[in-house]
């Protein structure tokens, strides 16, 4: 019912504005997760690892049902092998994130300063923690934006309901991400308000990436299969390189794994049942 009401609200709005509204929603959910730091300094580690696993499961499911499957379908009538556009786009998305990962200074949650990645810098630990979460919010915003831009192609595999469903799924997994960045900042000594502020700020890149993604595919429809699979490749990179290792780092592998299974199942049901 919620999905239907949201669909009716969005259908008469320009696709770029749709992408902006949807990614502002995902940003808001990040802020809600970050707001938990206003009431508690710590969160049970097993719970957090389960939530990170859930986020990983959602992203894996969304990468296939909302991005790769439509990209494969759209490539059916192209002059090249059907597998080529989604395969190339997927690889480009992963490589793009890998390059940014090597350049942008950042520090994954729970790791010591000497394991900071990217170009060497004197930036504070808190800044590097924020940048780590900001980095993997880029493909999430891009995925939602591309999905809304794809609706203008009027293809059966790219629907407004599917794009709305993807935004809801990304929003669901953004809550634990907001928690995962604000709580460590609080433990680093920042005030509750500052921890919340920087936690929600890590999600601001999603509306920016969403608008860019929607506009790009609208102005150049031939790149649509590549753009969808690009977003999928970038999201899978984040899952494998960051979310899964972080969720299992403290020895809670079983809880994190079941969280991932649950997240995958929830996103699959949303996408197949509503999309």
């Amino acid at each position: 019912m919620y999905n239907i009401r949201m669909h009716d609200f969005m259908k008469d709005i320009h696709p770029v504005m749709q992408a902006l509204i949807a990614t502002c929603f995902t940003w808001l959910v990040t802020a809600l997760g970050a707001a938990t730091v206003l009431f508690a300094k710590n969160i049970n580690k097993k719970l957090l690892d389960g939530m990170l696993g859930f986020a990983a499961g959602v992203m894996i499911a969304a990468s296939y049902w909302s991005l790769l499957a439509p990209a494969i379908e759209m490539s059916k009538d192209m002059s090249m092998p059907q597998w080529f556009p989604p395969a190339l786009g997927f690889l480009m998305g992963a490589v793009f994130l890998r390059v940014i990962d090597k350049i942008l200074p950042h520090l994954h949650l729970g790791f010591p300063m000497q394991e900071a990645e990217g170009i060497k810098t004197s930036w504070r630990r808190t800044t590097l923690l924020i940048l780590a979460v900001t980095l993997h919010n880029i493909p999430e915003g891009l995925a939602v934006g591309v999905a809304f831009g794809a609706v203008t192609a009027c293809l059966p595999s790219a629907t407004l309901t599917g794009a709305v469903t993807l935004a809801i799924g990304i929003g669901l997994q953004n809550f634990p991400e907001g928690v995962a960045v604000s709580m460590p900042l609080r433990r680093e000594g920042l005030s509750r308000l500052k921890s919340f502020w920087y936690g929600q700020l890590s999600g601001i890149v999603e509306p920016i990436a969403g608008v860019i993604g929607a506009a790009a595919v609208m102005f150049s429809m031939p790149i649509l299969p590549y753009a969808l699979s690009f977003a999928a490749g970038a999201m899978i990179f984040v899952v494998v390189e960051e979310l899964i290792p972080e969720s299992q780092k403290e020895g809670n592998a079983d809880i994190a794994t079941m969280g991932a299974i649950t997240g995958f199942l929830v996103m699959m049901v949303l996408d197949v049942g509503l999309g």
Side-chain angles (χ1 to χ4, degrees):
M1 183 64 69
Y2 174 77
N3 190 276
I4 294 173
R5 289 200 297 268
M6 192 170 181
H7 175 279
D8 291 340
F9 169 72
M10 298 284 275
K11 66 181 181 181
D12 296 323
I13 302 174
H14 190 277
V16 173
M17 186 57 67
Q18 290 174 347
L20 178 60
I21 293 171
T23 47
C24 281
F25 161 74
T26 62
W27 176 21
L28 174 62
V29 181
T30 303
L32 289 175
T36 57
V37 79
L38 299 174
F39 310 101
K41 185 174 182 178
N42 293 297
I43 185 172
N44 182 277
K45 187 59 182 173
K46 290 182 178 180
L47 175 60
L48 180 58
D49 288 342
M51 292 169 70
L52 288 174
F54 178 89
V58 168
M59 290 178 70
I60 292 170
S63 295
Y64 176 72
W65 271 282
S66 298
L67 299 170
L68 275 178
I72 293 169
E73 182 66 24
M74 292 172 191
S75 302
K76 185 181 297 183
D77 299 322
M78 299 181 75
S79 59
M80 59 191 71
Q82 185 179 0
W83 56 264
F84 182 77
L88 179 60
F90 187 85
L91 179 61
M92 290 171 60
V95 170
F96 172 76
L97 255 290
R98 175 58 179 159
V99 171
I100 298 298
D101 195 60
K102 291 289 286 183
I103 295 174
L104 182 69
H106 63 283
L107 177 66
H108 294 301
L109 302 172
F111 285 82
M113 274 296 288
Q114 57 266 31
E115 294 189 31
E117 300 179 17
I119 297 173
K120 297 300 180 184
T121 177
S122 59
W123 293 349
R124 296 172 58 188
R125 178 183 173 88
T126 52
T127 302
L128 297 177
L129 288 169
I130 295 165
L131 286 175
V133 179
T134 302
L135 174 62
H136 80 233
N137 279 335
I138 295 174
E140 295 171 13
L142 184 63
V144 174
V146 168
F148 277 97
V151 175
T152 59
C154 298
L155 297 170
S157 55
T159 65
L160 179 56
T161 304
V164 170
T165 301
L166 175 62
I168 293 172
I170 295 296
L172 285 175
Q173 64 90 42
N174 271 0
F175 185 88
E177 290 183 1
V179 176
V181 68
S182 62
M183 290 294 181
L185 293 179
R186 177 66 175 146
R187 291 196 295 270
E188 292 290 326
L190 270 67
S191 67
R192 293 182 188 272
L193 194 57
K194 282 188 175 181
S195 298
F196 162 72
W197 173 252
Y198 290 123
Q200 65 81 31
L201 198 62
S202 67
I204 197 172
V205 70
E206 290 194 12
I208 298 170
V211 168
I212 292 173
V217 298
M218 284 187 65
F219 285 112
S220 184
M221 281 298 168
I223 72 167
L224 188 49
Y226 298 95
L228 286 167
S229 49
F230 180 97
M235 289 217 297
I236 292 297
F237 180 92
V238 168
V239 169
V240 177
E241 198 266 346
E242 182 172 347
L243 287 181
I244 291 178
E246 285 180 8
S247 68
Q248 302 198 5
K249 181 174 177 288
E250 298 295 326
N252 298 316
D254 290 342
I255 294 173
T257 300
M258 290 309 300
I261 295 296
T262 304
F264 188 96
L265 180 62
V266 168
M267 189 62 209
M268 181 181 69
V269 170
L270 280 175
D271 211 301
V272 176
L274 301 178

